[in-house]
Structures are given as structure tokens and as C-alpha cells.
Amino acid sequence: MSDGPSPPECIIVAANPQLETAAELAATIAEELAGWGVESSSIPLMEESIDDAFGRYEADLLVALGGDGTMLRAGQLAAPRQVPILGINIGRLGFLTEVKRDSWRQALESVLAGDYWVERRMMLRTEKWWEQECKGTWHVLNEAVIGRGETVRPVELITEADGRFLTTYMADALIVATATGSTAYALAAGGPILPPELRNILLVPVAPHLSLDRAIVLHEGTSVQVTVRTDHHAILSTDGRVSVPLEDGAQVRVCAGEHTAEFVRLQDPGYFYRNLTSHMNNQTTAREAP
């Protein structure tokens, strides 16, 4: 089942600091790994602690404890270091996590035996430009969202692809997503579901008014530029975390990123469709329940 990766020799176990039980479980896992003769350390999943841990250890695996939000953050922190991630789900949905909370021992035994494969997912490089200067850069695993802020009025989003005019959206927002993000906000907005291995850029408008209302799938080599026209509040949000104000005339530039998120998988490659239909069936059942 392995595609050739070697068993990890040094493992960082990182817990979502907002989940009460995550730190305790992370410490338990790190202690168990040490008992197996594997160098390990448990830390909170924050930029400062990750920087320190990777500075002190030559880690070749990051075990992340939490839900999908945790996995997004882990991807942003681990991808530049080319370190794969094994996700243990102690959150809710778990689209990106691989292991259930009670199955971590068996999962790590399989990983240490080399019985796994690595799934590689494209990320986006997102930049804010204002007055011909780059004001910020973010590496995104799910999506960049350009749209209105608190004011319930649409914004005008002049969208270009590779320097050529594509369309002008008058909408609440425009989602620029990866295949990973196609099952997140983009799906809720009516976008298509893309298999995670695809390296495409997905454009999905949110509540478009008298403008193009269909999703567009672009090649990974496409460079997208969105110019904001608004007389009220507008924002850029990346992976649901960063919220950056956008002035009238500000530009958001998005392209395929230089980093690739790597996830350790123990299931066969068909896992994505099983998980997807399972989650959707569960949601349908919950809605239909009295």
C-alpha cells in the first residue's frame, strides 16, 4: 500500500489549542511514541511552537489533532517544510483527517511499518495589492474569499484570468478555491465537487446579482486577479482565518502556490468518495429527523 515513503523517525504531535482534550491526547501519543523508540514532542498547533519544534527536531511527520480547521492550519505550517501530516479527528466533520480518535494507536503502528501512502494537494498563493504594492501574501489550502464585510450590499469584482478580462461579478463574494476547497464553502455556494488530486483553480460566486452565476474551473497555471469596486466595507478571507480589509481599487491576485500539502493516508484512494457520500448522507438524515 505504500508508494515508497520511509517510516518516520521523528514525529511532532500538534494539538489544536482551542480543543480542551487535544493537548492531553497529544501528550499521551508523544509518550507512547517515545516508548516505541521514536523521537517525538507534543506542542500546541501555533506558528511559534511549530517554528521552534521544527528548528529543534528534524521531524519527518506532523500528527495533527483536531478537525478540518486544524488540518488547514497544519497544512499551511507543514507544507513549506515538505513535512506530511497525519490527521486525528477530534473535531466534527473530518473531511481532511484520516484517523478516528480511538484508532490512533493502530494508525501509528501502520505508519511506522511504512504501510501508508502520501496524498499531495495543491495550494494557492494569494496576495493583496494596493497602490501597486504587495501588502500581504498567504498560502491557502481551501480557498480565498473576496467579498463584502458586515454591510449587506454586494461588491463589484472585476475578474481577470491571465491578464484578460473574464467577467465582472456583482455579488456577496467570489470564492477562489482549490480542489480541496471544492467540498467546503464552494460546495455550499453551489460549486462542483472536484477530486482532491486535481490541480485546478475554481471560481464560485456567492449570491451573484445579474451577473455570471456558474462556477468556472481553471487550469492550475492560470493567474487570477480580482479588482474590488465598492463604496463600503470589503474583505479578503483565506481559509476562514485571516480577514483583511480591501479598499476600493484593491486587487487580490491568486495562482497555484509553490507549496504542496501532503497528507498521510492509510485508506485506499477511493476513501474520498466514501467519506463524501457518508457525510452527505449523515447531513440529509439529520435534516430529515423529526
Side-chain angles (χ1 to χ4, degrees):
M1 186 172 176
S2 170
D3 65 354
S6 302
E9 297 179 357
C10 180
I11 299 175
I12 300 296
V13 186
N16 184 333
Q18 296 179 332
L19 297 175
E20 294 182 1
T21 59
E24 182 180 352
L25 180 57
T28 299
I29 292 173
E31 184 178 352
E32 185 87 0
L33 287 169
W36 295 347
V38 179
E39 186 176 11
S40 62
S41 176
S42 64
I43 60 171
L45 186 65
M46 297 186 295
E47 187 167 359
E48 298 80 5
S49 57
I50 287 287
D51 284 341
D52 179 65
F54 280 98
R56 288 188 292 117
Y57 302 99
E58 294 185 4
D60 44 13
L61 177 66
L62 176 67
V63 175
L65 281 68
D68 284 341
T70 302
M71 294 296 285
L72 292 177
R73 186 59 178 149
Q76 293 162 359
L77 295 171
R81 299 172 170 90
Q82 298 180 306
V83 174
I85 305 157
L86 175 66
I88 299 178
N89 186 26
I90 55 175
R92 290 179 297 170
L93 286 178
F95 268 111
L96 297 175
T97 54
E98 179 69 7
V99 181
K100 294 181 180 179
R101 178 183 184 130
D102 297 333
S103 303
W104 63 264
R105 245 185 215 91
Q106 302 96 300
L108 285 171
E109 287 175 349
S110 295
V111 171
L112 292 174
D115 188 18
Y116 68 99
W117 57 283
V118 176
E119 179 185 67
R120 295 170 173 85
R121 296 195 177 199
M122 171 182 150
M123 298 181 73
L124 298 174
R125 179 185 179 91
T126 302
E127 300 174 342
K128 173 190 172 179
W129 284 75
W130 171 242
E131 295 183 337
Q132 298 184 330
E133 290 187 15
C134 181
K135 300 296 185 179
T137 301
W138 299 269
H139 301 286
V140 178
L141 181 55
N142 255 2
E143 77 275 300
V145 179
I146 306 106
R148 66 172 179 83
E150 298 176 355
T151 304
V152 188
R153 290 170 59 191
V155 290
E156 185 178 347
L157 303 170
I158 304 169
T159 305
E160 300 173 59
D162 291 335
R164 299 179 181 87
F165 175 74
L166 181 63
T167 189
T168 296
Y169 295 98
M170 184 65 69
D172 280 2
L174 176 65
I175 303 168
V176 186
T178 62
T180 299
S182 73
T183 56
Y185 189 14
L187 179 61
I193 296 170
L194 303 181
E197 66 271 15
L198 290 187
R199 298 183 61 86
N200 292 99
I201 298 174
L202 177 62
L203 303 183
V204 182
V206 179
H209 179 66
L210 298 179
S211 55
L212 184 65
D213 63 352
R214 293 292 186 267
I216 300 175
V217 181
L218 302 172
H219 182 266
E220 72 165 298
T222 307
S223 177
V224 176
Q225 178 173 286
V226 180
T227 303
V228 178
R229 293 298 181 190
T230 181
D231 59 1
H232 56 88
H233 190 214
I235 61 168
L236 164 66
S237 176
T238 55
D239 278 350
R241 293 186 66 254
V242 179
S243 184
V244 179
L246 295 173
E247 304 83 0
D248 178 51
Q251 296 175 335
V252 176
R253 300 178 185 178
V254 185
C255 62
E258 59 268 39
H259 304 307
T260 298
E262 300 182 351
F263 295 104
V264 169
R265 298 300 181 196
L266 303 171
Q267 308 171 72
D268 66 85
Y271 84 92
F272 172 75
Y273 301 101
R274 290 196 301 272
N275 287 357
L276 182 66
T277 54
S278 174
H279 284 302
M280 288 187 165
N281 289 339
N282 287 343
Q283 291 298 316
T284 301
T285 301
R287 286 195 295 269
E288 293 176 350

